[in-house]
Amino acid sequence: MEVLVASAIGVLTAAGIYMILRLRTFPVVVGMSLLSYAVNVFLFATGRLVINQPPILREGVTSYTDPIPQALVLTAIVISFGMTAVVVMLALGAFIEAGNDRIDLEQEEDGR
């Protein structure tokens, strides 16, 4: 199970970095989302990967899952959703103003 989760984190991170290095705004937004998913899975995995265990210690329960990583992941999901919305709006505004979605610094000869 740990190997599968570690592989998923690695694949999400690699795909996110690849997408961020593209020269268009949409792949950059998708890459940032993939990186945030990788961080969320990593945070979730830090709470020990156990199955069928309650997140709180109650009467008669001898083992439990750590609830702190679950709370951190929930908070990170909300923050990443808000930041993705902000970045999409900035990218849309830049696309409308510039007429294209390239993010390189060089300007073309004809002024586009």
Side-chain angles (χ1 to χ4, degrees):
M1 180 78 167
E2 287 86 7
V3 173
L4 179 65
V5 172
S7 299
I9 292 170
V11 167
L12 283 171
T13 303
I17 290 173
Y18 174 76
M19 295 297 277
I20 285 176
L21 294 176
R22 303 292 304 242
L23 293 178
R24 302 276 181 190
T25 56
F26 182 71
V28 170
V29 171
V30 170
M32 289 177 60
S33 296
L34 288 176
L35 276 178
S36 71
Y37 295 153
V39 170
N40 289 343
V41 172
F42 175 73
L43 285 175
F44 192 71
T46 59
R48 293 179 300 168
L49 297 173
V50 293
I51 299 172
N52 295 329
Q53 297 294 327
I56 2 181
L57 194 55
R58 295 183 287 188
E59 293 292 326
V61 175
T62 58
S63 63
Y64 64 97
T65 303
D66 189 12
I68 298 298
Q70 295 175 12
L72 288 173
V73 167
L74 182 60
T75 305
I77 288 170
V78 171
I79 291 171
S80 67
F81 180 72
M83 288 307 298
T84 301
V86 168
V87 170
V88 165
M89 292 308 296
L90 288 173
L92 184 60
F95 173 73
I96 290 172
E97 184 175 325
N100 61 13
D101 66 340
R102 294 189 58 85
I103 57 172
D104 56 349
L105 297 175
E106 297 178 16
Q107 297 292 326
E108 294 181 10
E109 294 286 326
D110 58 351
R112 283 192 224 160

